[in-house]
Amino acid sequence: QVQLVESGGGLVQAGGSLRLSCAASGRTFSNYAVGWFRQAPGKEREFVAAIRWSGASTYNADSVKGRFTISRDNAKNTVYLQMGSLEPEDTAVYYCAAGQTAGAIPTSYPYWGQGTQVTVSS
Protein backbone atom coordinates (compact mmCIF):
# COMPACT_ATOMS: atom_id res chain seq x y z
CA GLN A 1 0.00 0.00 0.00
CA VAL A 2 0.93 3.65 -0.33
CA GLN A 3 0.44 6.46 2.13
CA LEU A 4 0.30 10.00 0.77
CA VAL A 5 0.66 13.29 2.61
CA GLU A 6 0.14 16.64 0.92
CA SER A 7 1.81 19.82 2.09
CA GLY A 8 2.61 23.31 0.87
CA GLY A 9 -0.85 24.78 0.84
CA GLY A 10 -1.63 28.18 2.24
CA LEU A 11 -2.87 31.66 1.47
CA VAL A 12 -1.53 33.44 -1.59
CA GLN A 13 -2.50 36.52 -3.53
CA ALA A 14 -3.89 36.30 -7.03
CA GLY A 15 -1.08 36.10 -9.53
CA GLY A 16 1.23 34.46 -7.05
CA SER A 17 2.82 31.04 -6.97
CA LEU A 18 2.75 28.06 -4.69
CA ARG A 19 4.29 24.61 -4.77
CA LEU A 20 2.47 21.64 -3.35
CA SER A 21 4.23 18.46 -2.36
CA CYS A 22 2.92 14.93 -2.12
CA ALA A 23 5.17 12.77 0.00
CA ALA A 24 4.67 9.05 -0.30
CA SER A 25 5.63 6.08 1.79
CA GLY A 26 5.34 2.47 0.84
CA ARG A 27 6.93 0.13 -1.60
CA THR A 28 7.29 0.69 -5.32
CA PHE A 29 6.04 4.26 -5.29
CA SER A 30 8.00 4.95 -8.44
CA ASN A 31 5.76 2.50 -10.29
CA TYR A 32 2.61 4.48 -9.53
CA ALA A 33 1.03 7.20 -11.55
CA VAL A 34 0.09 10.21 -9.46
CA GLY A 35 -2.72 12.65 -9.95
CA TRP A 36 -3.67 15.93 -8.35
CA PHE A 37 -7.31 16.74 -7.74
CA ARG A 38 -9.02 19.63 -6.06
CA GLN A 39 -12.36 20.27 -4.44
CA ALA A 40 -13.84 23.64 -3.63
CA PRO A 41 -16.73 24.10 -1.20
CA GLY A 42 -19.99 23.11 -2.81
CA LYS A 43 -18.30 21.72 -5.89
CA GLU A 44 -17.39 18.31 -7.17
CA ARG A 45 -13.86 17.05 -6.94
CA GLU A 46 -12.10 17.85 -10.19
CA PHE A 47 -8.99 16.67 -11.94
CA VAL A 48 -5.99 18.98 -12.03
CA ALA A 49 -2.98 17.11 -13.37
CA ALA A 50 -1.42 13.67 -13.56
CA ILE A 51 1.98 12.18 -14.19
CA ARG A 52 3.07 8.73 -15.24
CA TRP A 53 5.56 6.69 -13.27
CA SER A 54 8.38 7.65 -15.61
CA GLY A 55 7.72 11.36 -15.22
CA ALA A 56 8.06 11.73 -18.97
CA SER A 57 4.36 12.04 -19.68
CA THR A 58 1.95 14.45 -18.03
CA TYR A 59 -1.63 15.51 -18.46
CA ASN A 60 -3.23 18.72 -17.28
CA ALA A 61 -6.76 19.96 -17.03
CA ASP A 62 -7.60 22.75 -19.45
CA SER A 63 -8.19 25.14 -16.58
CA VAL A 64 -4.58 24.92 -15.41
CA LYS A 65 -2.65 24.40 -18.64
CA GLY A 66 0.21 26.84 -18.89
CA ARG A 67 -0.03 27.69 -15.20
CA PHE A 68 0.51 24.46 -13.26
CA THR A 69 3.31 21.96 -13.67
CA ILE A 70 3.35 18.48 -12.21
CA SER A 71 6.65 16.73 -11.64
CA ARG A 72 8.10 13.97 -9.54
CA ASP A 73 11.30 12.99 -7.84
CA ASN A 74 11.13 9.26 -7.37
CA ALA A 75 14.36 9.24 -5.37
CA LYS A 76 12.56 11.37 -2.78
CA ASN A 77 9.20 9.63 -3.18
CA THR A 78 7.66 13.00 -3.83
CA VAL A 79 5.40 14.49 -6.47
CA TYR A 80 5.07 18.23 -6.86
CA LEU A 81 2.49 20.59 -8.23
CA GLN A 82 4.03 23.93 -9.09
CA MET A 83 1.24 26.46 -9.35
CA GLY A 84 1.70 29.85 -10.92
CA SER A 85 -0.55 32.71 -11.96
CA LEU A 86 -2.96 31.64 -9.27
CA GLU A 87 -6.51 32.83 -9.47
CA PRO A 88 -9.27 32.94 -6.85
CA GLU A 89 -10.95 30.15 -8.78
CA ASP A 90 -8.03 27.91 -7.84
CA THR A 91 -9.08 28.03 -4.19
CA ALA A 92 -9.77 24.49 -3.05
CA VAL A 93 -8.51 21.58 -1.05
CA TYR A 94 -5.90 19.86 -3.16
CA TYR A 95 -5.45 16.11 -3.00
CA CYS A 96 -2.83 13.84 -4.45
CA ALA A 97 -3.63 10.29 -5.42
CA ALA A 98 -1.68 7.29 -6.63
CA GLY A 99 -2.78 4.57 -8.98
CA GLN A 100 -1.92 2.48 -11.97
CA THR A 101 -2.97 4.96 -14.64
CA ALA A 102 -2.34 8.68 -15.04
CA GLY A 103 -5.97 9.48 -15.72
CA ALA A 104 -8.54 12.08 -14.84
CA ILE A 105 -11.04 9.81 -13.10
CA PRO A 106 -10.88 9.85 -9.29
CA THR A 107 -12.05 6.27 -8.95
CA SER A 108 -9.01 5.03 -10.84
CA TYR A 109 -6.77 6.04 -7.93
CA PRO A 110 -6.92 3.71 -4.92
CA TYR A 111 -4.64 5.77 -2.68
CA TRP A 112 -5.34 9.30 -1.53
CA GLY A 113 -3.82 11.88 0.74
CA GLN A 114 -5.72 13.97 3.26
CA GLY A 115 -5.58 17.16 1.25
CA THR A 116 -4.03 20.58 1.71
CA GLN A 117 -5.89 23.87 1.57
CA VAL A 118 -5.00 26.44 -1.05
CA THR A 119 -6.64 29.83 -0.76
CA VAL A 120 -6.10 32.51 -3.38
CA SER A 121 -7.19 36.00 -2.45
CA SER A 122 -8.65 38.33 -5.03
Side-chain angles (χ1 to χ4, degrees), residues 9-35:
L11 176 64
V12 64
Q13 290 182 282
S17 300
L18 204 62
R19 188 178 76 163
L20 305 183
S21 298
C22 175
S25 62
R27 58 172 55 88
T28 64
F29 174 72
S30 62
N31 291 333
Y32 287 92
V34 174

Side-chain angles (χ1 to χ4, degrees), residues 1-72:
Q1 61 179 358
V2 176
Q3 292 76 230
L4 305 172
V5 179
E6 302 93 334
S7 63
L11 176 64
V12 64
Q13 290 182 282
S17 300
L18 204 62
R19 188 178 76 163
L20 305 183
S21 298
C22 175
S25 62
R27 58 172 55 88
T28 64
F29 174 72
S30 62
N31 291 333
Y32 287 92
V34 174
W36 283 97
F37 295 79
R38 66 187 183 185
Q39 187 166 21
K43 297 183 179 179
E44 299 291 327
R45 185 168 298 188
E46 66 174 351
F47 170 76
V48 176
I51 189 168
R52 296 182 68 183
W53 65 268
S54 68
S57 181
T58 62
Y59 176 72
N60 298 278
D62 289 341
S63 61
V64 304
K65 284 183 178 178
R67 300 191 299 121
F68 292 8
T69 301
I70 186 171
S71 63
R72 69 189 302 165

